[in-house]
Amino acid sequence: MKRWRFGFYALDLVIVLCIGTLLLQVLQQSDSGGKAEAGEMHFVLIMPSQDSEEGNVRESAERLADRYQLDIEFHAFSTVAEQKQMLRVLPKTNVDGVLLWPISVSDDDYREELTALRNAGIPIVVMERDVAQGLRNSFVGSGTSSDLVVLNQSLKSLRDDDSVVVGNLSGSGSGQIVELLFFRKAPSREVEEGLLIDKKLRQMAETPLDGYQAVDYMRLEGKSAQSLNLKYTLINLFSEEDAPELFFSLDNTLSATAISAKKSGILTNRISSQLLCYGEASQYQESLDSGVLNGLVTSRPGISASIGIRYLRDLCRDFWVPETMDSGIDFMTADAE
């Protein structure tokens, strides 16, 4: 009896040692300290040419490249055509994964190129601006849901008859598009959701804000979506008798134009709309302190890039990754400490 029990314990000890060895090997490959083998994975990061964000994204990617000994190429382009041209080359090269920050919000703009990458077995993670779910493995974006929390909190200070406008900008140059979605608590009509290009605006129309419903839609394209023409459109919008009480900009460029439009209107005492905008604290701190800007939402593309690279690494090792991930936002107001 004692010999049997001893033999059983001895077998247990062997099993425990084997399991411990296996766990140690797993931990050595995990995020807690180990590195992948040198030269094991080659990733390409494609993003818009934005000086304000490019440094943060590069820094985050380079930090992970050093940690896991990854080979990461960086490509920043100013147009959709340049991004598409680069994407077309990649299936013919020795690349293990692609991290894409699209300029365009239209699925069709990237469909052919991303389909070719998927057919070549190359995993794709999209960051900040999503594409159709079937064209990528995962999407990582700032504020995919958290900015809705900020917006819903801001709505609590409005009256029942106040209107809200949410706007976003996509594309560049002659292909630039600005979309504005109008909300009210007691709508007289509903917006046809098929008109919307931007996915965030489409999400807001499909899942209405707290007590609000989409009632109108405006799209500006080409010259009307650029520079002074866009500014004058916003000045007129903010100056109307039925002007929106709250304007929420989801894009940094649109934010700058909205702030400029409000400043111009303030000089003539015509504009009182509250502005809630995406942007950078260093760029808009003065507008925030002066009260021209009522709230600033700061995105985290560097964190999105870091998560995206980790996801590509996991996909290359046949690990599961979520279809979407919110990398979070920071929110600032003038009275915040």
Side-chain angles (χ1 to χ4, degrees):
M1 188 70 172
K2 289 181 179 179
R3 289 184 60 185
W4 178 86
R5 183 172 292 178
F6 175 81
F8 180 76
Y9 290 152
L11 180 60
D12 278 357
L13 182 60
V14 171
I15 293 173
V16 169
L17 288 173
C18 290
I19 293 174
T21 301
L22 179 62
L23 286 174
L24 181 60
Q25 292 174 345
V26 171
L27 287 172
Q28 287 175 340
Q29 295 296 323
S30 71
D31 292 346
S32 60
K35 292 184 178 180
E37 294 181 7
E40 180 184 355
M41 299 175 194
H42 173 203
F43 298 150
V44 172
L45 194 163
I46 301 174
M47 63 176 294
S49 182
Q50 297 180 349
D51 294 338
S52 60
E53 301 291 359
E54 190 174 343
N56 291 333
V57 172
R58 280 178 173 268
E59 183 180 349
S60 297
E62 287 171 351
R63 188 161 51 246
L64 285 184
D66 290 340
R67 181 173 183 179
Y68 299 122
Q69 296 185 352
L70 304 172
D71 180 13
I72 300 179
E73 288 183 44
F74 300 90
H75 298 279
F77 299 111
S78 58
T79 66
V80 176
E82 290 174 310
Q83 287 191 326
K84 287 162 61 70
Q85 185 177 7
M86 186 66 197
L87 289 169
R88 281 195 290 269
V89 172
L90 295 181
K92 305 172 185 177
T93 63
N94 184 24
V95 58
D96 295 303
V98 176
L99 179 61
L100 171 65
W101 181 348
I103 292 175
S104 173
V105 296
S106 173
D107 298 336
D108 291 334
D109 278 338
Y110 301 96
R111 187 176 301 279
E112 182 179 344
E113 291 77 16
L114 296 185
T115 298
L117 285 167
R118 296 297 300 271
N119 291 341
I122 299 172
I124 304 160
V125 174
V126 174
M127 59 175 282
E128 294 305 290
R129 282 187 173 137
D130 201 5
V131 298
Q133 199 169 57
L135 298 178
R136 45 76 171 172
N137 298 85
S138 183
F139 167 65
V140 183
S142 302
T144 57
S145 58
S146 51
D147 57 2
L148 292 177
V149 176
V150 170
L151 181 54
N152 280 326
Q153 288 297 317
S154 300
L155 296 176
K156 295 184 184 301
S157 64
L158 304 186
R159 300 167 303 190
D160 287 343
D161 59 344
D162 287 335
S163 64
V164 178
V165 175
V166 183
N168 207 353
L169 181 150
S170 61
S172 60
S174 61
Q176 187 162 292
I177 297 174
V178 172
E179 294 182 275
L180 304 177
L181 191 58
F182 296 71
F183 293 88
R184 279 192 175 280
K185 267 196 172 180
S188 55
R189 61 175 180 148
E190 294 183 12
V191 169
E192 185 180 340
E193 294 171 4
L195 295 172
L196 295 163
I197 297 176
D198 184 78
K199 286 182 171 57
K200 274 196 173 183
L201 294 181
R202 195 183 308 161
Q203 178 187 358
M204 290 182 182
E206 293 171 351
T207 308
L209 307 176
D210 189 14
Y212 286 76
Q213 202 162 2
V215 297
D216 206 355
Y217 170 75
M218 180 187 297
R219 182 190 300 175
L220 307 172
E221 302 184 50
K223 290 183 178 179
S224 63
Q226 298 174 26
S227 191
L228 288 177
N229 290 328
L230 176 58
K231 178 179 176 179
Y232 289 136
T233 297
L234 294 180
I235 289 175
N236 290 332
L237 175 65
F238 297 155
S239 303
E240 292 175 353
E241 184 177 343
D242 194 24
E245 179 61 27
L246 177 64
F247 182 88
F248 185 18
S249 166
L250 300 172
D251 176 85
N252 183 65
T253 300
L254 180 59
S255 297
T257 306
I259 290 170
S260 178
K262 184 175 179 179
K263 285 180 177 178
S264 297
I266 286 175
L267 296 177
T268 58
N269 297 316
R270 292 189 298 164
I271 293 179
S272 61
S273 298
Q274 298 181 46
L275 294 186
L276 179 63
C277 294
Y278 262 86
E280 293 184 57
S282 58
Q283 184 177 358
Y284 299 123
Q285 188 64 54
E286 182 181 347
S287 297
L288 197 62
D289 293 340
S290 67
V292 173
L293 181 60
N294 302 89
L296 180 66
V297 178
T298 303
S299 63
R300 300 174 175 178
I303 295 177
S304 296
S306 180
I307 296 172
I309 290 169
R310 290 173 184 267
Y311 281 1
L312 285 177
R313 183 170 178 262
D314 287 344
L315 287 165
C316 288
R317 297 186 295 169
D318 293 325
F319 290 175
W320 175 88
V321 302
E323 290 186 347
T324 61
M325 174 58 68
D326 189 341
S327 58
I329 58 172
D330 294 317
F331 181 58
M332 298 173 60
T333 59
D335 57 353
E337 293 183 0

